[in-house]
Amino acid sequence: MQDGSAADNQVFLLIARRNCSLQGAERCMAFWLLAFVSIVIASVCAAMGAWPVLPFAGLELAALYLAFRRFSRDADDYEKVIIRGDRLLVECHTNGRVRRFDANRHWTQVVVRRGVGGRQVSLRSHGNEIEFGTLLSEGARIEAARKLQEQLRVQ
């Protein structure tokens, strides 16, 4: 979570991202390193007469490829709140879809509900609502809700 509020509170920015320990090139390198080790071990076993290990190594690599591909698809997800003057803009990018919520900051409420997986934070204005903080831990989500409530109260 990044917090970039200006000293005069004219612009407030809150960005939530997934915690991804491997970036694009690092994911590719990790996959090929694991693939190399698996192929070497399977080749040694096949050379010693245990040839059925080779198809299972191929299945292992296929499963690993699918897992890395799924991880890569979700790695770039983010949620962003911008408060500039009287405007509040929320942008959520998840699973390749972008959702936007634009409202007047003075008419927007921060709603905190207890849900199945913990507390849910939503921003509501004029019957429209968008959930925020799905990429954060529960503690960070509550802290983000507190900061948003403070910023919405500032005149």
Side-chain angles (χ1 to χ4, degrees):
M1 177 172 65
Q2 299 170 354
D3 175 9
S5 56
D8 57 359
N9 287 330
Q10 292 300 314
V11 176
F12 175 79
L13 176 65
L14 186 67
I15 300 174
R17 294 186 181 277
R18 292 189 185 277
N19 183 11
C20 297
S21 56
L22 292 175
Q23 298 306 316
E26 295 167 337
R27 281 191 298 268
C28 186
M29 189 168 51
F31 173 78
W32 287 112
L33 178 66
L34 291 169
F36 176 75
V37 169
S38 181
I39 290 171
V40 167
I41 291 172
S43 298
V44 168
C45 290
M48 294 183 349
W51 62 267
V53 171
L54 287 174
F56 287 104
L59 287 173
E60 174 189 33
L61 291 178
L64 186 64
Y65 171 76
L66 292 174
F68 269 71
R69 188 170 170 196
R70 168 68 194 256
F71 178 77
S72 294
R73 187 184 73 199
D74 295 341
D76 296 330
D77 291 353
Y78 67 89
E79 297 173 333
K80 178 170 43 174
V81 175
I82 302 170
I83 300 175
R84 179 177 294 129
D86 287 345
R87 301 305 310 159
L88 172 114
L89 175 67
V90 180
E91 186 175 294
C92 298
H93 182 276
T94 51
N95 297 327
R97 284 188 18 220
V98 177
R99 294 178 296 139
R100 287 187 176 83
F101 178 82
D102 190 8
N104 186 310
R105 77 183 276 180
H106 300 294
W107 298 337
T108 304
Q109 297 176 325
V110 178
V111 180
V112 180
R113 292 187 202 101
R114 192 167 291 281
V116 176
R119 295 189 189 149
Q120 296 174 335
V121 175
S122 298
L123 295 166
R124 181 188 308 160
S125 178
H126 290 91
N128 295 324
E129 188 171 315
I130 190 166
E131 189 173 354
F132 179 80
T134 58
L135 304 176
L136 299 173
S137 66
E138 185 167 357
R141 193 176 311 131
I142 298 307
E143 178 66 20
R146 187 188 61 74
K147 286 182 180 183
L148 286 170
Q149 285 173 336
E150 286 175 8
Q151 288 298 316
L152 292 175
R153 274 188 261 142
V154 172
Q155 295 297 330

